[in-house]
Amino acid sequence: MAKTVETIATALNISITTVRLVLNNKARQYRISEKTQKRINDYVAEHGYTVNHAARSLKLNKTDTLGLIIPRLSNVFFATLAEKLEIRCREAGYQLMISCTYSDLKQENALVDALVDRNVDGLFVVPSSLQAQNHHLKRTSRPLVLLDRDFDGTDTSLVVSDNRRGSIALTQAMFSAGQLPLFFMAGDTEQPTIKERMKGYTSVLEAQGIADCQQWILETAHNRREDGEKLMQQFLARHNAAPPAFIASSLPVLEGALSVLRSHFGFIPADINIGTFDEHPMLGFLSNNIWSVRQNEDAWAEQAVDAMLHLINGGDENVRAIVPMTLIHRARASL
Amino acid sequence: MAKTVETIATALNISITTVRLVLNNKARQYRISEKTQKRINDYVAEHGYTVNHAARSLKLNKTDTLGLIIPRLSNVFFATLAEKLEIRCREAGYQLMISCTYSDLKQENALVDALVDRNVDGLFVVPSSLQAQNHHLKRTSRPLVLLDRDFDGTDTSLVVSDNRRGSIALTQAMFSAGQLPLFFMAGDTEQPTIKERMKGYTSVLEAQGIADCQQWILETAHNRREDGEKLMQQFLARHNAAPPAFIASSLPVLEGALSVLRSHFGFIPADINIGTFDEHPMLGFLSNNIWSVRQNEDAWAEQAVDAMLHLINGGDENVRAIVPMTLIHRARASL
DNA sequence: GTGAAAGCGCTAACAT
DNA sequence: ATGTTAGCGCTTTCAC
């Protein structure tokens, strides 16, 4: 359906080069006659023309396509990040291919392989482990920008949130609010993001002279709803009462924890002080005092795409961007 | 970096055809000698081989890529839908290119153009209007599957939720709960989805003998948070009290409406009966009686991909799939 | 059982 | 100012 340069050239009885020149706006530069230009432009106006990306890719060995590999789109944070990245990539002339790993290592590696096989010009990845990260590095010769998790061990380009400081601000605010103990429900403690959040938490409490705040930390293996449920169930079994205050290491954990409270008490006790990482408008549905730490997806996207373009254009310094977080407080509903 | 078939052939001093035959598992069929097969397999095992998609695309005029155009990824419903579609497409051997329109008509058309130019094998689109829909149809000769909105006027393949019945179930449940009037906060009443939801609503109330339930409908132009805020502000200005019960036409509208209630009263009055379209775990954060109507993204994805594959494989009947919705009730927190 | 060659549409380098 | 050509890596067709 799409006309080729050759079609146009033969139809107009001009050479392919000439057509290409005006199509690529080099007409001026190569001083193509006005008349010829007009003929070509008229033809295109009538019959249309679009480059054949496949042919172009084959010749130039680049696809004008970037890959993004994240755990899951149904997680609002990653969805928003994907959205922001997609906008900026498109602005830069790249299409984004988004794929999800569902936190499955095999899947993650397979996805990197698939996108590399499709010859993407670069890859954004949220790695699940150092091992995976190394696989990706080995697998592609194209630029790689890691997101969200700093497993260290390489000098690959990287964009993460300042989880430590974010957690410190959160913990300080909640400590000042005065309800103790302030528990921490941590999913997937192996993950750098969570580790940093825990470090921020403990650093504040220790500075406040809380001797053994480790006892206030509840750990589980993953960052899912079920894990939050499990933690809160365990808590209730042990203490037989709701915690006066707690921090959830992520929204899914919070959802799980609160759903258990709701079904245990019949409602979510409004006097619990709640803290969580990641922000969501629906947190306003709670009657509680609630603090959330927002990640700035827009800044992430900007930094990540900048880093990517830099690498694509032959730059070799890797970027390590640490994006500030924002603490948001919703005051407990007054009665 | 990637080896080509020719590289292998010359390295092994065999013809290209032979190499291709074993690479494509036609060795048996063409009775390539075991020895030759082994030589080739060994070589590949050592040096690797991946087809060059660009070359393949150029020759075969297909990209093994599908496009998905949705309003926005930061909307959980679309994000989840995208996720489910991506899984199924990948299973079928296709990569998905996801792009967002931000409800901008120009952007929507431009995206379709961009993906068509990239020669995607097919396109899933959530159209913003009949006009846009027609543009897309005209623009591509490849299969098109419309999602979410039935503007009618064409016999293109289509997957939508059974909004009418979903709304009927919701309205009946809330009517039976007994708190009246039951208002309906409707964003973007031009959109078929919302229209159907309103029709379901009015049909139930009229059947119940509510003479003029039109007065219970509050309308606004869009489906965003701000629109929900506006509606609830208007409501409060007029009635100077919270509604005893209301239905929001979508989650963003609900978020907006509730945030206004929260800032007006200092809390969200727990005795309001709330209904909403689309389901979200965080609805459980509310203390209210709340009904939500879930759309089955998984079923959508299955139907949409099936329809797409059918068309890609030369089928010509268009599918019109209407996916049932599920009513979910969360009982008001007991005290 | 294996080989040779054309051609998909583009770009870049080299003619004139 | 305009024209010619080689070649990117694959698939398909035909030939031995």
Side-chain angles (χ1 to χ4, degrees):
Chain A
M1 63 154 287
K3 297 272 168 263
T4 74
V5 175
E6 199 184 352
T7 322
I8 304 180
T10 52
L12 262 38
N13 216 346
I14 332 183
S15 91
I16 297 182
T17 311
T18 311
V19 176
R20 276 200 64 246
L21 257 22
V22 351
L23 252 37
N24 296 5
N25 294 317
K26 309 262 183 182
R28 252 308 184 22
Q29 193 176 332
Y30 287 87
R31 298 191 294 173
I32 309 289
S33 72
E34 289 296 332
K35 202 165 61 180
T36 315
Q37 286 188 51
K38 186 163 165 26
R39 287 181 66 206
I40 295 173
N41 288 328
D42 287 355
Y43 186 94
V44 170
E46 188 178 347
H47 300 91
Y49 168 73
T50 59
V51 289
N52 181 318
H53 279 260
R56 197 166 186 278
S57 293
L58 177 58
K59 180 68 188 177
L60 300 183
N61 192 29
K62 62 172 195 142
T63 50
D64 297 330
T65 300
L66 298 174
L68 169 64
I69 296 177
I70 54 177
R72 48 193 350 127
L73 271 172
S74 50
N75 177 320
V76 220
F77 169 65
F78 291 119
T80 308
L81 177 60
E83 179 176 298
K84 305 290 188 192
L85 276 173
E86 199 255 336
I87 298 175
R88 291 196 128 86
C89 287
R90 193 133 35 81
E91 283 170 356
Y94 291 88
Q95 264 290 339
L96 233 207
M97 290 228 187
I98 305 167
S99 291
C100 306
T101 65
Y102 307 101
S103 307
D104 175 357
L105 177 62
K106 287 252 189 308
Q107 171 93 321
E108 179 177 329
N109 290 349
L111 280 177
V112 169
D113 294 346
L115 291 179
V116 168
D117 284 354
R118 280 186 179 244
N119 204 16
V120 292
D121 294 341
L123 219 37
F124 300 100
V125 183
V126 176
S128 64
S129 64
L130 184 56
Q131 180 196 356
Q133 182 174 314
N134 287 331
H135 164 270
H136 310 337
L137 267 169
K138 207 165 301 161
R139 192 55 177 68
T140 180
S141 52
R142 294 295 167 88
L144 180 63
V145 174
L146 299 174
L147 302 175
D148 191 45
R149 295 163 195 185
D150 184 2
F151 286 100
D152 237 330
T154 57
D155 61 342
T156 319
S157 282
L158 178 74
V159 180
V160 296
S161 276
D162 192 347
N163 287 291
R164 180 81 68 101
R165 272 183 230 265
S167 185
I168 289 176
L170 172 63
T171 311
Q172 277 173 343
M174 293 189 69
F175 185 86
S176 303
Q179 286 178 217
L180 297 178
L182 169 57
F183 294 95
F184 192 106
M185 306 211 156
D188 195 356
T189 51
E190 288 305 298
Q191 208 196 276
T193 306
I194 310 289
K195 271 190 188 156
E196 284 295 301
R197 292 172 183 181
M198 289 172 68
K199 280 187 193 159
Y201 166 82
T202 50
S203 76
V204 170
L205 292 190
E206 281 167 2
Q208 296 287 351
I210 309 289
D212 200 10
C213 63
Q214 294 301 329
Q215 293 183 342
W216 294 358
I217 299 181
L218 312 168
E219 300 189 11
T220 179
H222 297 286
N223 250 314
R224 303 158 310 180
R225 243 182 104 74
E226 308 91 276
D227 302 289
E229 290 172 8
K230 209 184 69 184
L231 284 183
M232 188 56 84
Q233 270 153 4
Q234 287 172 355
F235 185 95
L236 290 175
R238 185 154 35 182
H239 298 80
N240 210 16
F246 73 95
I247 293 173
S249 66
S250 70
L251 279 185
V253 169
L254 180 68
E255 287 173 18
L258 292 183
S259 77
V260 167
L261 285 180
R262 198 185 210 255
S263 58
H264 187 264
F265 292 103
F267 58 96
I268 296 169
D271 53 353
I272 304 177
N273 279 355
I274 299 176
T276 185
F277 287 88
D278 294 345
E279 155 64 7
H280 195 288
M282 288 195 191
L283 290 174
F285 289 2
L286 289 166
S287 314
N288 306 58
N289 239 329
I290 176 155
W291 290 261
S292 68
V293 187
R294 194 169 86 80
Q295 310 206 52
N296 192 340
E297 298 95 353
D298 219 4
W300 277 47
E302 181 179 357
Q303 305 255 26
V305 172
D306 282 356
M308 179 63 79
L309 294 178
H310 175 73
L311 292 171
I312 288 181
N313 294 323
D316 49 0
E317 318 91 64
N318 283 307
V319 175
R320 291 186 112 254
I322 301 184
V323 181
M325 303 178 103
T326 315
L327 182 64
I328 296 174
H329 177 48
R330 290 176 174 85
R332 178 177 175 186
S334 51
L335 291 174
Chain B
M1 58 154 290
K3 299 273 167 261
T4 74
V5 176
E6 198 184 352
T7 321
I8 304 180
T10 53
L12 261 39
N13 217 347
I14 331 182
S15 93
I16 298 184
T17 313
T18 311
V19 176
R20 276 201 64 248
L21 257 21
V22 352
L23 252 36
N24 295 6
N25 294 317
K26 310 262 186 186
R28 250 311 184 22
Q29 192 177 334
Y30 287 87
R31 298 191 295 173
I32 309 290
S33 70
E34 289 294 334
K35 202 165 62 180
T36 313
Q37 285 188 49
K38 184 162 166 29
R39 288 182 63 206
I40 295 173
N41 288 329
D42 287 354
Y43 186 95
V44 169
E46 187 178 346
H47 301 89
Y49 169 75
T50 59
V51 288
N52 181 318
H53 279 259
R56 197 165 187 279
S57 293
L58 178 58
K59 181 68 187 178
L60 300 183
N61 192 31
K62 61 172 194 142
T63 50
D64 297 330
T65 299
L66 298 173
L68 169 64
I69 296 178
I70 56 177
R72 47 189 354 123
L73 272 173
S74 49
N75 178 319
V76 220
F77 169 65
F78 291 118
T80 307
L81 176 60
E83 179 177 297
K84 306 289 188 193
L85 276 172
E86 199 255 336
I87 299 175
R88 291 196 128 87
C89 287
R90 194 134 34 81
E91 282 170 358
Y94 291 89
Q95 264 289 339
L96 232 206
M97 290 229 189
I98 305 167
S99 292
C100 306
T101 66
Y102 307 101
S103 307
D104 175 356
L105 177 61
K106 287 252 190 306
Q107 171 94 321
E108 179 176 329
N109 290 348
L111 280 177
V112 169
D113 294 347
L115 291 178
V116 168
D117 284 355
R118 280 188 179 245
N119 205 15
V120 292
D121 294 341
L123 220 37
F124 301 101
V125 184
V126 176
S128 63
S129 64
L130 184 56
Q131 179 196 356
Q133 182 175 312
N134 286 331
H135 164 270
H136 309 337
L137 268 169
K138 207 164 301 160
R139 191 56 178 65
T140 180
S141 52
R142 295 294 167 88
L144 179 63
V145 175
L146 299 174
L147 302 175
D148 189 46
R149 295 162 194 186
D150 184 2
F151 287 99
D152 237 328
T154 58
D155 62 341
T156 318
S157 282
L158 179 72
V159 181
V160 296
S161 276
D162 192 348
N163 288 290
R164 181 81 68 101
R165 272 183 230 265
S167 184
I168 288 175
L170 172 63
T171 311
Q172 277 173 343
M174 292 189 71
F175 185 86
S176 302
Q179 286 178 217
L180 298 179
L182 169 59
F183 294 94
F184 191 106
M185 304 211 159
D188 196 355
T189 49
E190 288 306 298
Q191 208 196 276
T193 306
I194 309 290
K195 271 189 188 156
E196 285 296 300
R197 292 172 183 180
M198 290 172 68
K199 279 186 192 159
Y201 165 83
T202 50
S203 76
V204 170
L205 293 190
E206 281 167 1
Q208 297 288 352
I210 309 289
D212 199 10
C213 64
Q214 294 301 327
Q215 293 183 342
W216 294 356
I217 298 181
L218 312 169
E219 300 190 11
T220 180
H222 298 284
N223 251 314
R224 305 158 308 180
R225 241 182 105 74
E226 308 91 277
D227 301 289
E229 291 173 8
K230 208 183 71 185
L231 285 182
M232 188 56 84
Q233 269 154 4
Q234 287 172 356
F235 186 94
L236 290 175
R238 185 154 35 184
H239 298 81
N240 211 16
F246 72 94
I247 293 173
S249 66
S250 71
L251 279 186
V253 169
L254 180 68
E255 287 173 19
L258 292 183
S259 77
V260 167
L261 284 180
R262 196 185 212 254
S263 58
H264 186 266
F265 293 104
F267 58 97
I268 297 170
D271 53 353
I272 304 177
N273 279 354
I274 299 176
T276 186
F277 287 88
D278 294 344
E279 155 64 6
H280 196 288
M282 288 196 191
L283 290 174
F285 289 1
L286 289 165
S287 316
N288 307 59
N289 240 329
I290 177 154
W291 290 261
S292 68
V293 187
R294 194 169 86 81
Q295 309 205 53
N296 192 339
E297 298 94 352
D298 220 4
W300 277 47
E302 181 179 357
Q303 306 255 25
V305 172
D306 281 356
M308 179 63 78
L309 294 177
H310 175 74
L311 292 171
I312 287 181
N313 295 324
D316 49 359
E317 319 90 65
N318 284 306
V319 175
R320 292 186 111 255
I322 301 184
V323 181
M325 302 177 102
T326 315
L327 182 64
I328 295 175
H329 178 47
R330 290 177 174 85
R332 177 177 176 184
S334 51
L335 290 176

